[in-house]
Amino acid sequence: MSAAAPTHLHKCSDTPVAPVKTTVHFSITDKVGALDDCLAAIKAMHISLTRIESRPSKTSEWDYDFFVDFNAVDADQVRQVAKSLEPFAKQVHIVGAAGAGELPESTPWFPRKMVDLDTFADKVLEMGEELDSDHPGAKDASYRARRAEITMIAKTYKTGQPIPNIDYTQVEIETWAAVFDKLTGMFPTHACREHQHVFPLLIQNCGYGTHAIPQLEVVSKFLKDCTGFTLRPVMGLLTSRDFLNGLAFRVFHSTQYIRHHSSPLYTPEPDVCHELLGHVPLFANPDFADFSQEIGLASLGASDEDIERLATIYWFTVEFGICRQGDQIRAYGAGLLSSFGELEYCLSDKPEIRAFEPAKVAQQKYPITEYQPVYFVAESFKDAQMRVREFANSCDRPFSVRYNAYTESIEILDSKEKVIRYAQSIKTDMLTLVDALQKLS
């Protein structure tokens, strides 16, 4: 029997340490010297900017929004920068990662554009090229070297680039084949219907089978066509905050390396088998994709406490979720669908089954090295999405966000003008919907 399947979330504090990575967001009116005054105020404090970005403001006025990034010495310096901008700018807002707890008026830093995900590349917590002493491949020098080679691709990957193919060895393919054969034999009786519906399409379109390990670039393009989700190579385990933030952009951070050949049915970490067999099929389902993004959007700018709660909800859904389909219970969590032992166990009479209520799920403790004693059953992915959205509205965040699929960016709905503009875009969509319904009737 295989051990409990690995997941992408690391159960520990995600609070980073100094320096304080900070973004200050402000608006200025279009007039000569307006930006010069703001930059001069920052320069006077002997601070070097790491990035400056501008865009037209989504307000009724002819303003510009600016985002400036810098590494502050401490929280007090961040406050001083914000205060120095107030005479020259409007709507000065602090977005900071480290030290945010000392700045009650600030929001933890979060990515606003797809390219911001590049900053996560080498921020892995563990695994990747460095293996724990109890890892099956820890003492295999050639395996460790191979892991280092593959993780370097993830470390140097940038947004917009095609994901490099891996020329997998025959040993690696045989390891994949052993896992593929074992799990696909169980999917018809244990996996949810959405997973079963997509899997043949992956065989037809993405090279799934025992003869080769599918390439992330091919799979990513397939997902993009289905739901807008894409894959991004990652070195190892990210913090809960970084991993969930990626889901807001419909980006799933995926490993490319494979478990050690000595234990094909066991791995203590996410690997390409876990990603491609467990996660990928459901990211091609529109309702599941919407649900996953809902968790990601809720994580943007969330407090450390809320991140922990959202990560727990993710654990009991995307990783270890079960759902009701007719008079049967089926698995949809990737941690179950990539572990033949726990896949069999979760549908037995051994674990406790509870209804999916996010507020209660968020408080549930869970083991990370053994089978789950408790599972939460969802009535549907759409129902789970609505429940997560209601839960997210109860979190302590002073603004709402939306993902703009046209610009692949996050819009912060923190002013009346932005909300009105958003409402206008919804109105246009509603007119299109009404027109379509009239033609159908």
Side-chain angles (χ1 to χ4, degrees):
M1 301 289 280
S2 63
T7 70
H8 295 81
L9 299 182
H10 192 261
K11 194 175 182 184
C12 70
S13 172
D14 289 332
T15 305
V17 294
V20 185
K21 179 179 180 180
T22 304
T23 298
V24 174
H25 168 215
F26 58 89
S27 300
I28 61 173
T29 302
D30 184 18
K31 65 179 182 180
V32 177
L35 179 59
D36 291 340
D37 291 339
C38 294
L39 295 181
I42 297 175
K43 184 178 180 181
M45 301 188 65
H46 306 290
I47 288 178
S48 296
L49 303 182
T50 57
R51 187 180 70 161
I52 181 168
E53 176 189 330
S54 63
R55 65 184 73 163
S57 179
K58 292 181 174 63
T59 66
S60 58
E61 305 296 331
W62 290 95
D63 294 343
Y64 288 95
D65 286 343
F66 283 86
F67 298 85
V68 294
D69 294 355
F70 60 93
N71 293 321
V73 175
D74 53 29
D76 186 57
Q77 189 178 49
V78 176
R79 288 194 187 91
Q80 292 176 27
V81 170
K83 188 172 183 179
S84 70
L85 289 171
E86 289 175 356
F88 312 107
K90 298 184 291 184
Q91 297 181 344
V92 179
H93 185 71
I94 302 169
V95 183
E102 302 173 48
L103 291 165
E105 71 276 22
S106 76
T107 299
W109 184 91
F110 61 89
R112 297 178 307 278
K113 297 176 67 176
M114 188 80 79
V115 70
D116 290 342
L117 301 183
D118 291 349
T119 64
F120 300 166
D122 58 356
K123 290 172 58 181
V124 292
L125 292 167
E126 59 181 47
M127 298 301 182
E129 58 185 301
E130 297 299 327
L131 306 182
D132 289 343
S133 59
D134 59 350
H135 190 285
K139 297 180 180 180
D140 185 336
S142 61
Y143 178 77
R144 292 171 64 94
R146 176 64 166 163
R147 287 279 293 253
E149 174 188 344
I150 294 176
T151 55
M152 184 53 64
I153 291 175
K155 186 174 184 178
T156 57
Y157 176 83
K158 300 297 181 185
T159 296
Q161 296 177 347
I163 303 173
N165 286 347
I166 302 295
D167 185 14
Y168 289 105
T169 66
Q170 187 58 39
V171 171
E172 290 170 332
I173 294 172
E174 290 172 359
T175 301
W176 159 269
V179 179
F180 186 91
D181 275 343
K182 185 67 177 180
L183 290 172
T184 53
M186 298 182 69
F187 287 161
T189 54
H190 291 70
C192 64
R193 68 171 68 99
E194 292 84 356
H195 188 280
Q196 293 187 53
H197 175 73
V198 170
F199 210 82
L201 301 178
L202 294 170
I203 294 173
Q204 295 171 16
N205 296 281
C206 300
Y208 273 53
T210 57
H211 62 287
I213 301 175
Q215 298 292 341
L216 292 196
E217 177 66 11
V218 175
V219 177
S220 186
K221 287 181 177 178
F222 175 80
L223 292 180
K224 180 75 171 180
D225 289 343
C226 293
T227 62
F229 250 90
T230 57
L231 303 180
R232 181 187 176 101
V234 68
M235 293 177 64
L237 291 171
L238 293 173
T239 66
S240 296
R241 182 181 295 279
D242 289 350
F243 182 81
L244 295 179
N245 281 184
L247 296 178
F249 294 83
R250 293 197 172 224
V251 170
F252 178 77
H253 285 82
S254 172
T255 54
Q256 279 184 291
Y257 48 77
I258 194 166
R259 62 195 65 185
H260 195 260
H261 58 85
S262 65
S263 304
L265 299 181
Y266 167 76
T267 176
E269 56 177 335
D271 75 330
V272 73
C273 298
H274 174 74
E275 322 288 29
L276 297 181
L277 298 174
H279 282 291
V280 161
L282 284 172
F283 282 125
N285 176 267
D287 286 344
F288 186 83
D290 290 346
F291 167 68
S292 300
Q293 186 179 31
E294 197 70 44
I295 297 178
L297 289 169
S299 75
L300 298 175
S303 66
D304 289 341
E305 293 75 15
D306 283 338
I307 286 292
E308 184 174 351
R309 296 198 294 167
L310 289 168
T312 301
I313 291 173
Y314 176 94
W315 178 279
F316 283 111
T317 54
V318 181
E319 290 291 354
F320 291 97
I322 58 175
C323 59
R324 195 180 311 280
Q325 297 192 325
D327 59 352
Q328 296 181 321
I329 300 295
R330 294 296 178 95
Y332 71 88
L336 302 174
L337 293 168
S338 62
S339 168
F340 83 93
E342 187 153 4
L343 182 56
E344 183 177 63
Y345 163 85
C346 74
L347 300 186
S348 70
D349 58 1
K350 296 177 182 178
E352 179 182 353
I353 306 299
R354 300 178 188 172
F356 178 68
E357 299 178 45
K360 294 182 179 179
V361 174
Q363 302 300 322
Q364 179 66 37
K365 302 300 181 183
Y366 54 87
I368 60 176
T369 57
E370 58 189 57
Y371 294 166
Q372 302 302 303
V374 176
Y375 298 99
F376 294 88
V377 59
E379 296 303 319
S380 69
F381 297 146
K382 187 57 67 176
D383 177 69
Q385 179 193 3
M386 294 301 102
R387 290 175 181 270
V388 169
R389 180 173 295 174
E390 292 175 4
F391 174 81
N393 289 336
S394 70
C395 293
D396 185 20
R397 187 175 65 179
F399 55 84
S400 297
V401 297
R402 70 178 288 256
Y403 176 65
N404 187 323
Y406 298 114
T407 60
E408 295 186 326
S409 63
I410 298 297
E411 295 179 359
I412 304 172
L413 303 176
D414 58 354
S415 70
K416 180 180 177 181
E417 292 82 2
K418 292 178 182 179
V419 173
I420 290 175
R421 187 176 181 86
Y422 180 32
Q424 290 172 339
S425 69
I426 295 175
K427 181 180 178 181
T428 301
D429 290 340
M430 287 299 297
L431 291 174
T432 302
L433 176 61
V434 170
D435 181 59
L437 288 172
Q438 289 176 339
K439 290 179 179 179
L440 288 173
S441 62

